[in-house]
Amino acid sequence: MSLRALQRRVKRIEDAGKPRQSPIAIWFGSFDSWVENDILPAIESGALDRDIVDVVAALRAWETDVTWGRAHAR
């Protein structure tokens, strides 16, 4: 096995152990920017009901407990 092939293999193994970003972080840059730029203004304008706060809290919990990472593994 060549040195380059070994380096690629080690990188793949290391990358597999890292937590993956959630789709929200990928699409919007970060979870907080999504909430600040999209969710809060929509609540204030009446486009979203205040019940969305519970949904956002659940999604944030998924962000911190690596549920997104487990979903990507499937």
Side-chain angles (χ1 to χ4, degrees):
M1 182 181 290
S2 74
L3 179 59
R4 288 183 189 217
L6 182 60
Q7 287 173 328
R8 285 191 301 270
R9 187 172 180 187
V10 168
K11 180 165 178 25
R12 263 195 320 268
I13 292 168
E14 287 175 345
D15 288 346
K18 293 179 184 175
R20 294 187 178 214
Q21 287 186 314
S22 71
I24 294 170
I26 293 169
W27 296 330
F28 298 99
S30 76
F31 195 91
D32 291 334
S33 69
W34 173 62
V35 171
E36 294 276 331
N37 297 325
D38 295 308
I39 299 301
L40 293 178
I43 292 171
E44 291 171 1
S45 73
L48 289 175
D49 193 88
R50 293 205 177 271
D51 291 341
I52 194 69
V53 172
D54 295 331
V55 174
V56 171
L59 292 173
R60 186 176 295 279
W62 289 4
E63 185 96 357
T64 57
D65 74 359
V66 285
T67 298
W68 294 115
R70 287 192 301 261
H72 282 289
R74 293 181 185 172

